[in-house]
Amino acid sequence: MIVAAPPESTAEELAAALAHHRQAVVLDIASVKAGVLTDLIRLAEAPDFGLDRADLGRYVGTHPMAGRERSGPVAARGELFTSMPWVICPAEHPHAGRLSTDAAVAWAEEIARRLGASIHRMTPSFHDESVALISHLPQVAASLVASRLQDAPSDALELSGNGLRDVTRIAASDPNLWVQILSGNSAAVLEILYGLREDVQRLIGTLEDPSAAGSQADLAQLIAEGNAGVARIPGKHGAPPRAFSVLTVIVDDKPGQIAAVLNDVAITGVNVEDMRMDHSAGHQVGMVELSVLPGRRDELAQALNEMGWKVVQS
């Protein structure tokens, strides 16, 4: 049985499910794990639900990392979980140790496997620390940046490109859900925000006097630290990150153009490692950015030019 409820009510739903379905393995898919488990143990030890420690052996915390900034049936996709991380967090009692049985954990992993997900096992606390960094911090940063746009002049926003869209995309997420997520994982998020605050204060101090000795070097160091962080993000299929060459194909803003570009790329036999789309401000054209292995860039550019496409190499 899978409990899919907002974080603040997940523990109660789990306790009720364990009490009413005495033979079932019960999973949850909430995006915070340690707090849910703490609340569930507290409920199980209370007399209201009639549960005991053995019942908690049928519970396994899980978190499919396949969320989107949109929600509801219209945002559903059949391949939502394919190749996406699915975290398995066997329940642990702070004093008694492991609670989830091997059979319950195996069934939780089997569900993830049947949906095509990539299985990752970790403790509830390590899970929460991890998602605070790779999920919750980006959400906070996106929302804070996007909030600066509320009163921005329209003329300024017309200059927006993929950089702004990339940074703010997830700011469209559900506020009610994120109130619960951030509240439920506040301790882990706070530790990261304290470090971010130090970096922001350092940047502010440098920009307040950019001509001071060492200011340029400090700005360069700050950007370089970002480069180093980006370089640690896993690359395609979870492999080590690789540097790709990018070429841009200018296409008319009309149906069929992207499909036509990709069809011609397929004819060349060059594999596209990544792709993104942007639109030119003030012109009825689009720009399809294709990332390829550096050794294949010139070959692809020449072939597409010969096929009649306008190609710009970066």
Side-chain angles (χ1 to χ4, degrees):
M1 182 174 185
I2 298 177
V3 171
E8 65 181 10
S9 58
T10 296
E12 290 189 3
E13 294 295 331
L14 286 169
L18 288 167
H20 291 109
H21 303 276
R22 290 289 178 174
Q23 303 302 315
V25 172
V26 180
L27 319 178
D28 78 285
I29 55 173
S31 52
V32 291
K33 299 266 71 86
V36 167
L37 177 58
T38 298
D39 290 344
L40 177 59
I41 291 174
R42 175 179 53 80
L43 290 171
E45 293 176 344
D48 299 348
F49 288 96
L51 298 175
D52 56 30
R53 190 168 297 169
D55 289 310
L56 294 181
R58 297 183 285 111
Y59 163 68
V60 182
T62 82
H63 182 196
M65 303 285 292
R68 304 178 66 193
E69 74 277 12
R70 304 297 181 185
S71 61
V74 296
R77 295 181 301 174
E79 71 285 1
L80 180 64
F81 302 112
T82 303
S83 299
M84 299 302 289
W86 193 309
V87 184
I88 307 295
C89 297
E92 300 177 346
H93 193 282
H95 306 299
R98 172 80 171 265
L99 293 172
S100 300
T101 65
D102 290 342
V105 173
W107 182 236
E109 292 182 346
E110 179 63 18
I111 290 175
R113 191 175 292 111
R114 290 186 182 186
L115 291 171
S118 171
I119 298 171
H120 301 259
R121 191 188 291 197
M122 58 186 62
T123 65
S125 58
F126 185 73
H127 164 274
D128 288 359
E129 292 168 1
S130 299
V131 296
L133 177 62
I134 59 92
S135 176
H136 303 171
L137 176 64
Q139 177 63 50
V140 171
S143 295
L144 291 177
V145 172
S147 71
R148 299 293 91 200
L149 307 179
Q150 295 177 91
D151 301 318
S154 297
D155 289 346
L157 294 178
E158 289 176 358
L159 304 177
S160 302
N162 272 342
L164 183 64
R165 295 187 185 96
D166 288 347
V167 170
T168 60
R169 178 182 62 82
I170 57 175
S173 299
D174 180 4
N176 295 322
L177 176 61
W178 274 99
V179 165
Q180 297 181 47
I181 292 174
L182 293 175
S183 298
N185 201 24
S186 58
V189 174
L190 267 176
E191 284 301 313
I192 298 171
L193 290 179
Y194 289 147
L196 182 63
R197 180 175 64 184
E198 293 177 3
D199 288 339
V200 172
Q201 288 177 335
R202 166 185 159 197
L203 175 60
I204 290 173
T206 301
L207 292 178
E208 285 176 340
D209 190 4
S211 60
S215 292
Q216 300 296 315
D218 193 48
L219 290 173
Q221 177 64 26
L222 187 67
I223 301 301
E225 290 170 2
N227 295 161
V230 168
R232 295 203 62 207
I233 300 174
K236 185 177 177 182
H237 306 314
R242 300 184 62 178
F244 299 120
S245 292
V246 177
L247 55 84
T248 302
V249 183
I250 308 300
V251 300
D252 293 331
D253 191 4
K254 62 182 183 182
Q257 287 287 283
I258 296 177
V261 169
L262 294 179
N263 182 67
D264 284 348
V265 170
I267 292 173
T268 70
V270 177
N271 188 52
V272 174
E273 306 294 338
D274 199 0
M275 183 188 79
R276 60 188 293 171
M277 179 75 182
D278 198 4
H279 292 87
S280 175
H283 298 278
Q284 296 300 309
V285 298
M287 295 171 286
V288 180
E289 295 183 358
L290 305 176
S291 296
V292 299
L293 293 175
R296 308 298 299 275
R297 182 190 64 174
D298 293 342
E299 172 191 350
L300 179 59
Q302 180 179 347
L304 290 177
N305 274 318
E306 292 174 354
M307 292 176 178
W309 297 103
K310 183 176 182 180
V311 179
V312 179
Q313 298 189 53
S314 37

